[in-house]
Amino acid sequence: VQLQTSGGGLAQAGDSLRLSCAASAVGFEISSRGWYRQAPGKQRESVASITTTGGVTSYADSVKGRFTISRDNAKNTVYLQMDSLKPEDTAFYYCNAVALPTGWPISTRGDYWGQGTLVTVSS
């Protein structure tokens, strides 16, 4: 599974940014997609996730009401729309996919990661 991340960059507080993550997953079944972030000196944390089937979403409390995760299954792409950005949103953002090889047991399911993209929000 290969994940290609785009978007991010520099923003001011209150601005919006959108991240995209395109997946190449031939021979794999992806059960969920998500976004994580890691600020300097902090642990990586989950920001938002969405299931492939049903599109069930979940968000970290810190981004609820400001960030929206969405997917385009035809393009194998997941988006993270980030509105009302705050300086504390500054971090490297990583795209994630939970997937397993088609036809293999669920025990082979694993996490796959895209390259991080830096989001910097100034006050």
Side-chain angles (χ1 to χ4, degrees), residues 82-120:
M82 304 183 292
D83 299 321
S84 302
L85 283 164
K86 302 177 180 180
E88 50 263 45
D89 295 320
T90 295
F92 279 95
Y93 284 72
Y94 297 88
C95 176
N96 168 270
V98 178
L100 75 160
T102 303
W104 286 48
I106 198 169
S107 59
T108 63
R109 188 171 57 186
D111 285 285
Y112 296 85
W113 299 93
Q115 81 279 14
T117 185
L118 180 61
V119 172
T120 303

Side-chain angles (χ1 to χ4, degrees), residues 12 41 43 72 110:
Q12 292 188 332
Q43 290 187 333
D72 184 334

